[in-house]
Amino acid sequence: MTVGVLVMAYGTPRDRDDIETYYTDIRRGRPPTPELLADLVRRYDRLGGTFPLREITDRQIAALRHALGGGHVVALGTKHSLPKVEDGVRELAAAGVERIVGLVLAPHYSQFSIGEYADRAAKAGAEHGLAVDTIASWHLLPAYLAFLHRAVTNALATVPVGSRVLFTAHSLPERILASGDPYPAQLRETATAVAAAAGLDDVAVGWQSAGRTPEPWLGPDVLDVVRDCAAAGAAGLVVCACGFVADHLEVAYDLDIEAASLARELGLPFARTASVNDDADVMTALAELVAQR
């Protein structure tokens, strides 16, 4: 049996000219206001006009394909750029696969994130007579936790002893709590496991990169935590963005530029842990997780 592997990721603009199309897709077809568009362009410009996520995603795909070996056909499908999730399913169907395993490059499950990927993949698969089995989450994958443990330990070595560690993920609207969505609990489970391995006294969980909508989003926001730590005279702060697996905009701008700048302004020693990117151990473990399905 030839198994298709649909690797799903958020997506990214290809270049500066693609930002508006990308942003419009995120907004479900509603073009951004000139002000919102200008702000997003400014953020990419602060990264030197680079769009790192696609290159990192391509490296992750290559690592997964190598680790899976023969008997698997691997395709990419993204949520907000090309190729879309549906394009990835179409590619696998054209390759003659008999079933598809879906893997989202995000560790924690929410119906608003991995759930949406899985629904889109299943619907597209049905159109080709293919079942799509998407892995719900991998937030306690041992290789992933081991990577985070090393990353936290290395970051702590760059700030004063006694610095606080904050584990973060992309915020979602607070309304997910009413449905019992497991996303916040899974983030805390990841944080608790890493904190135990690193010998940390407490577990601090926060959120970042909230959407610009009127409704409330999960908090505390990482920038508020930076302010609180500085006001409390904390030795320093390490942010472990464990909800992300690549050095994309929400890490390279929201943390490395925005949060780090605020920490400098407040005199708070600050560090951010390394991202998974295409770490060989994690990619191999994810390939084994796929193979087991």
Side-chain angles (χ1 to χ4, degrees):
M1 174 183 289
T2 302
V3 178
V5 180
L6 179 65
V7 181
M8 292 176 277
Y10 194 77
T12 178
R14 294 185 299 274
D15 51 38
R16 208 170 187 269
D17 293 337
D18 193 39
I19 294 176
E20 184 172 6
T21 300
Y22 168 73
Y23 205 172
T24 299
D25 196 272
I26 290 175
R27 291 167 54 84
R28 302 182 186 277
R30 295 178 295 110
T33 64
E35 293 76 18
L36 287 174
L37 179 60
D39 182 65
L40 185 57
V41 170
R42 176 186 62 82
R43 289 169 179 249
Y44 278 112
D45 285 346
R46 287 291 302 275
L47 301 186
T50 61
F51 302 85
L53 181 56
R54 183 53 191 269
E55 179 187 349
I56 295 169
T57 302
D58 287 345
R59 296 204 312 264
Q60 292 171 325
I61 295 279
L64 288 166
R65 183 178 287 118
H66 175 75
L68 283 164
H72 298 82
V73 180
V74 182
L76 170 66
T78 70
K79 190 174 184 181
H80 294 299
S81 59
L82 297 177
K84 292 285 183 69
V85 169
E86 295 76 10
D87 297 325
V89 171
R90 189 179 303 112
E91 178 183 339
L92 293 173
V97 304
E98 297 171 66
R99 60 184 293 262
I100 297 174
V101 175
L103 172 69
V104 182
L105 293 175
H108 307 91
Y109 179 88
S110 169
Q111 180 55 42
F112 287 76
S113 58
I114 291 177
E116 289 187 359
Y117 287 101
D119 290 346
R120 283 177 61 172
K123 182 179 178 181
E127 293 176 359
H128 297 277
L130 289 168
V132 181
D133 175 21
T134 297
I135 294 167
S137 69
W138 44 275
H139 68 292
L140 295 178
L141 187 71
Y144 163 67
L145 296 178
F147 176 92
L148 294 178
H149 176 204
R150 292 192 301 272
V152 165
T153 300
N154 291 340
L156 281 171
T158 69
V159 292
V161 174
S163 291
R164 194 178 187 195
V165 179
L166 176 71
F167 296 87
T168 71
H170 200 298
S171 185
L172 288 175
E174 281 186 3
R175 56 189 158 91
I176 70 167
L177 300 177
S179 64
D181 194 286
Y183 188 62
Q186 288 193 0
L187 176 63
R188 182 161 289 276
E189 288 171 2
T190 296
T192 299
V194 177
L200 303 179
D201 293 333
D202 68 321
V203 176
V205 170
W207 305 92
Q208 60 175 92
S209 314
R212 301 188 175 193
T213 64
E215 66 179 318
W217 288 59
L218 295 173
D221 183 83
V222 64
L223 297 181
D224 291 331
V225 175
V226 169
R227 296 184 185 97
D228 291 345
C229 284
L237 177 66
V238 167
V239 176
C240 176
C242 59
F244 304 99
V245 295
D247 288 320
H248 49 48
L249 189 71
E250 283 78 8
V251 172
Y253 181 86
D254 293 2
L255 294 180
D256 293 352
I257 294 178
E258 192 172 42
S261 176
L262 177 61
R264 282 195 302 273
E265 177 185 325
L266 298 175
L268 178 71
F270 178 90
R272 191 264 294 178
T273 62
S275 297
V276 169
N277 292 327
D278 58 338
D279 177 79
D281 290 342
V282 177
M283 293 301 107
T284 298
L286 286 174
E288 291 172 351
L289 187 63
V290 168
Q292 289 168 10
R293 299 295 276 260

